[in-house]
Amino acid sequence: MLSVTPRPLSLGLKLRWQLFNLMSRIAERSHAKTEAPPAPEAAKPSLWVFVSTIGELHATAPFLNALIELATADGQEIVLLTDRDGYAESYQSLHPSAHVVRVTGSQFQAEALAAAFRPTLFVIAEIPCWPSDAPCRLPFGFLYEAKRLGAGTALINGWLYGYPTSCRADAIERRLFQREWLRLIDVVCAQNERVANTLRGAGANLVHITGNIKFDALETLPRAFENTRSPRLLQSIQSSGRPTVVAGCVTEADERDLVLAAFEPLAVAVPRALLVLAPRHPENPNVMQALSERLNASGLPFVRRAEHGDQALDDDVKVLVLDTMGELRDFYALASIAHVGRDHNILEPLAYACPVSVRPGWNSTYPSFPVYEMTRDGGLLIESDNAATLETLWQSLLTDSGRRKQQTDRIRSLLEHAQGATERTWSAMRSVFPITRERG
């Protein structure tokens, strides 16, 4: 699948790495316990992938799935690295033959891992683009060890968060190795021009602007009702033809109140309108108590999904509180309009060409920001922090079929234009590595 001509590490980098290693050994006093999996009887060449969370694994799946399939067919072991606890089961449910390794933070863990699984290619999925930039931690030792052994290295779907370092050791690591980190990566695939230019200026060798692979991973067709947890409930809402506003990932109390303040007059102007309200952390009794009190004060008839169960919804119910986990996407598929809580995933409803409203003021350090920024600048989002304005915009989309069609057509066009990052990533990889890929 892959052969790479090794680039020798510079003497200066080797000396700095030895010094940093010595400092790390003194700080740790002994080798930190590693979590490398048991070595096979005869060590095989391996594909290493650092993918911090399930979010990055899903976001880069169109590329990573094909790469993993290719490496597996080539007889390579698959090593998925994560710096988070609790992902082994979900990672292995998607890639059953992979070895999932929890990165401990020790610079020495990479040596133990490489002794068991010699990398031929090391891919960093989205973050971090340099040491300690993002809400995750990948020690420089993994990148150094991979290049020392002659592996190819790539950063795909790259995004910069601009995080400061969280401790003195990370600050030292960044100061010593930020430029070398980028120079040791053979090919960088950035999501946009801003990220690409920043990485070029910081020392990256070969940078391609490939777009966001996440747009290639959209599920544009709703699941059949029988494959959901609430088939009767969903079917009854669809059959009723009621104009439906689905407000998902509503975290903050003021956003909850904004949504309800906008829906109350809408329910008068559009009497059959239904609000599906999905709060964040429904397992928190304080959150649910506050929501119930606010709904009681509004006078809007409501039911909670957990109590209502999977049965048809009566027409006199104005608010369905979605207090279960893992069902929001199924309800987005029925939405006439979606409202997404600040800093959360807007692609799920947009994938169904559903008009989306949000509040302004999104946090640029959150993983949701790149998609928010792109869709906002493309005119796909209804953005308001005022309940009266939000109600007017919702009502216009529910009652003006021409305006709604204009918005849905714009969504489909921009999402279609945004796709193609997977193929651009393959092209960038093939410009450096002799990768052969069978096309299905």
Side-chain angles (χ1 to χ4, degrees):
M1 179 188 78
L2 173 66
S3 62
V4 178
T5 302
R7 288 190 289 120
L9 300 173
S10 70
L11 178 61
L13 174 57
K14 289 179 179 178
L15 291 174
R16 264 178 288 137
W17 175 243
Q18 289 174 5
L19 175 62
F20 186 75
N21 251 340
L22 178 62
M23 293 168 57
S24 298
R25 290 176 189 275
I26 293 172
E28 295 182 22
R29 299 194 179 175
S30 64
H31 285 17
K33 181 181 177 181
T34 67
E35 294 187 23
E41 291 182 8
K44 294 181 179 179
S46 304
L47 168 66
W48 288 9
V49 182
F50 178 79
V51 54
S52 178
T53 74
I54 195 71
E56 286 80 42
L57 190 60
H58 285 318
T60 58
F63 176 81
L64 284 184
N65 289 351
L67 181 66
I68 288 171
E69 182 179 353
L70 193 62
T72 302
D74 198 44
Q76 299 203 32
E77 299 290 321
I78 308 301
V79 178
L80 300 179
L81 301 164
T82 174
D83 61 324
R84 307 297 180 93
D85 290 319
Y87 281 126
E89 183 176 353
S90 57
Y91 280 27
Q92 289 190 308
S93 70
L94 297 170
H95 301 286
S97 63
H99 306 277
V100 181
V101 178
R102 166 68 163 85
V103 175
T104 63
S106 169
Q107 300 292 342
F108 315 116
Q109 187 185 15
E111 299 174 14
L113 182 65
F117 299 95
R118 186 184 183 96
T120 61
L121 177 63
F122 182 23
V123 174
I124 300 171
E126 198 163 308
I127 54 176
C129 290
W130 60 53
S132 305
D133 168 72
C136 66
R137 187 168 194 280
L138 173 64
F140 178 70
F142 283 85
L143 190 56
Y144 181 91
E145 192 66 16
K147 292 310 293 182
R148 187 184 71 81
L149 294 172
T153 50
L155 169 67
I156 64 164
N157 220 45
W159 181 258
L160 281 168
Y161 288 88
Y163 272 30
T165 53
S166 60
C167 64
R168 185 168 177 268
D170 287 353
I172 293 171
E173 182 182 37
R174 181 185 289 186
R175 188 161 57 249
L176 287 175
F177 302 117
Q178 177 173 326
R179 203 161 188 84
E180 278 72 17
W181 175 289
L182 290 167
R183 286 175 174 170
L184 291 184
I185 298 176
D186 297 311
V187 58
V188 172
C189 299
Q191 289 188 29
N192 61 26
E193 187 174 4
R194 178 185 66 82
V195 173
N197 287 339
T198 302
L199 295 175
R200 288 185 186 113
N205 289 304
L206 182 61
V207 181
H208 296 260
I209 301 172
T210 52
N212 193 336
I213 297 174
K214 187 178 291 186
F215 287 99
D216 294 337
L218 294 180
E219 296 186 35
T220 58
L221 296 176
R223 288 186 288 188
F225 290 139
E226 59 266 24
N227 295 328
T228 70
R229 290 165 53 193
S230 303
R232 297 182 183 86
L233 177 57
L234 290 163
Q235 181 67 66
S236 72
I237 296 172
Q238 184 186 62
S239 299
S240 74
R242 296 178 66 178
T244 303
V245 178
V246 178
C249 301
V250 178
T251 305
E252 301 166 356
D254 58 347
E255 184 150 27
R256 173 203 67 203
D257 293 342
L258 172 71
V259 169
L260 290 173
F263 183 75
E264 286 165 355
L266 181 71
V268 175
V270 185
R272 299 195 69 240
L274 169 68
L275 172 64
V276 178
L277 179 58
R280 288 278 288 175
H281 305 300
E283 75 284 358
N284 186 327
N286 294 328
V287 169
M288 300 311 298
Q289 177 65 29
L291 176 57
S292 295
E293 291 174 358
R294 176 64 179 82
L295 285 168
N296 285 325
S298 74
L300 294 167
F302 72 96
V303 296
R304 291 174 58 169
R305 161 67 181 85
E307 297 174 351
H308 182 76
D310 179 28
Q311 55 183 313
L313 193 69
D314 292 339
D315 281 350
D316 62 350
V317 173
K318 295 293 185 182
V319 180
L320 170 64
V321 178
L322 191 60
D323 57 346
T324 53
M325 305 291 284
E327 292 196 275
L328 179 57
R329 185 170 69 86
D330 297 323
F331 284 86
Y332 276 145
L334 299 181
S336 309
I337 300 168
H339 180 88
V340 178
R342 187 157 53 195
D343 297 324
H344 290 285
N345 182 8
I346 59 176
L347 271 183
E348 281 191 338
L350 286 175
Y352 301 123
C354 177
V356 173
S357 65
V358 296
R359 298 176 71 189
W362 285 46
N363 190 326
S364 62
T365 67
Y366 276 48
S368 55
F369 188 81
V371 174
Y372 158 76
E373 183 179 48
M374 177 182 175
T375 52
R376 178 201 62 192
D377 294 348
L380 299 196
L381 301 181
I382 302 162
E383 195 168 51
S384 178
D385 217 2
N386 179 273
T389 302
L390 203 56
E391 188 273 334
T392 299
L393 293 169
W394 286 355
Q395 186 177 155
S396 173
L397 286 166
L398 291 178
T399 59
D400 186 339
S401 59
R403 179 172 182 182
R404 177 176 170 80
K405 183 178 185 305
Q406 183 182 44
Q407 184 71 359
T408 57
D409 287 347
R410 183 185 298 171
I411 292 169
R412 288 191 179 99
S413 176
L414 189 141
L415 293 184
E416 183 178 349
H417 179 74
Q419 292 176 343
T422 302
E423 283 303 319
R424 289 189 287 272
T425 301
W426 277 111
S427 295
M429 294 285 284
R430 285 194 293 266
S431 72
V432 177
F433 308 127
I435 296 177
T436 57
R437 178 183 170 217
E438 295 294 329
R439 294 181 178 272

